[in-house]
Amino acid sequence: GQQLNQSPQSMFIQEGEDVSMNCTSSSIFNTWLWYKQEPGEGPVLLIALYKAGELTSNGRLTAQFGITRKDSFLNISASIPSDVGIYFCAGQWASYDKVIFGPGTSLSVIP
Amino acid sequence: DAMVIQNPRYQVTQFGKPVTLSCSQTLNHNVMYWYQQKSSQAPKLLFHYYDKDFNNEADTPDNFQSRRPNTSFCFLDIRSPGLGDAAMYLCATSRLRGGTYNEQFFGPGTRLTVL
């Protein structure tokens, strides 16, 4: 079945550093979604991407929909302590299909 | 603010004692989902409703049932909880319209403990 891989699995970075994480798939998706989940809370949608090559920003976050439609990356610039959490990528083939989640990247920010 | 609400946030039940988790939404979305999430894992889809149409995932145990009495509410019933059912249960909604755009919005989750 469809599977997503995220790398790295976890990151420990210094406050102020930039962060880059990516997500790859064995098959094509037409929508890529990036979520952040904090402990004890539900995932919160950060960025949604709908078109191959699309680059979208949300504050300090930037995400891109890979040109092959099999990957996506998320960058966080100038990290702050509240960026701590697990970042999930998710892909979807068609709007009526279920969303496939990656295993997540755990981010820790050292003040 | 439009949102997805889950009650209770924390639920403790005994082994084998039925439990019901609830989800409500003010987004007027036509699709509602239930996910199970265990520690350090991605959310796992259990089932979803597209309006009143129920769609069960093939690997969802029969122990899990769901009801959607109206657009705003959806319930997850666990008939005989086992220790392995202890997890965070997440409700999500989306608005499926004309084959485009299907971002899912999640509630805060209910943490289920089985004693």
Side-chain angles (χ1 to χ4, degrees):
Chain A
Q2 293 170 317
Q3 205 167 2
L4 294 182
N5 297 303
Q6 284 188 248
S7 64
Q9 188 175 356
S10 61
M11 305 178 77
F12 292 82
I13 61 164
Q14 207 74 35
E15 182 177 358
E17 286 184 359
D18 295 344
V19 172
S20 187
M21 60 186 80
N22 76 314
C23 185
T24 57
S25 167
S26 55
S27 51
I28 289 170
F29 287 112
N30 289 314
T31 299
W32 284 96
L33 306 167
W34 283 94
Y35 288 89
K36 177 191 176 189
Q37 186 174 27
E38 296 183 14
E41 299 294 330
V44 173
L45 183 64
L46 299 173
I47 292 178
L49 302 159
Y50 303 107
K51 205 171 167 183
E54 179 182 353
L55 187 71
T56 297
S57 292
N58 177 8
R60 293 178 296 107
L61 277 62
T62 302
Q64 185 156 29
F65 192 140
I67 202 77
T68 65
R69 295 196 282 156
K70 288 186 176 183
D71 61 352
S72 178
F73 72 74
L74 176 70
N75 284 346
I76 305 173
S77 62
S79 58
I80 58 178
S82 62
D83 289 334
V84 165
I86 300 178
Y87 290 78
F88 289 102
C89 67
Q92 191 178 35
W93 167 251
S95 58
Y96 47 81
D97 281 342
K98 68 180 182 183
V99 169
I100 308 296
F101 281 87
T105 291
S106 174
L107 177 64
S108 299
V109 178
I110 304 162
Chain B
D1 282 346
M3 55 198 309
V4 182
I5 302 159
Q6 289 189 247
N7 285 306
R9 292 294 310 274
Y10 300 92
Q11 175 74 57
V12 179
T13 190
Q14 289 181 325
F15 184 94
K17 186 174 179 184
V19 67
T20 294
L21 310 182
S22 77
C23 177
S24 63
Q25 53 129 341
T26 60
L27 298 161
N28 202 32
H29 282 174
N30 54 354
V31 191
M32 294 186 78
Y33 308 79
W34 279 105
Y35 287 85
Q36 179 193 64
Q37 187 179 30
K38 297 195 174 178
S39 185
S40 302
Q41 295 182 20
K44 178 180 180 297
L45 183 64
L46 295 173
F47 25 59
H48 74 276
Y49 276 93
Y50 175 28
D51 291 326
K52 290 188 177 180
D53 292 335
F54 177 70
N55 298 273
N56 200 33
E57 290 300 298
D59 57 355
T60 298
D62 291 340
N63 198 24
F64 293 88
Q65 304 284 317
S66 185
R67 297 169 282 137
R68 189 179 185 188
N70 53 52
T71 300
S72 301
F73 285 88
C74 197
F75 299 98
L76 170 61
D77 300 308
I78 308 177
R79 294 195 292 192
S80 181
L83 297 178
D85 296 328
M88 174 78 95
Y89 289 88
L90 296 163
C91 173
T93 72
S94 68
R95 195 175 100 188
L96 184 60
R97 43 182 172 159
T100 62
Y101 305 150
N102 194 19
E103 305 102 320
Q104 292 185 18
F105 296 90
F106 284 83
T110 294
R111 169 73 64 190
L112 178 69
T113 300
V114 181
L115 300 177

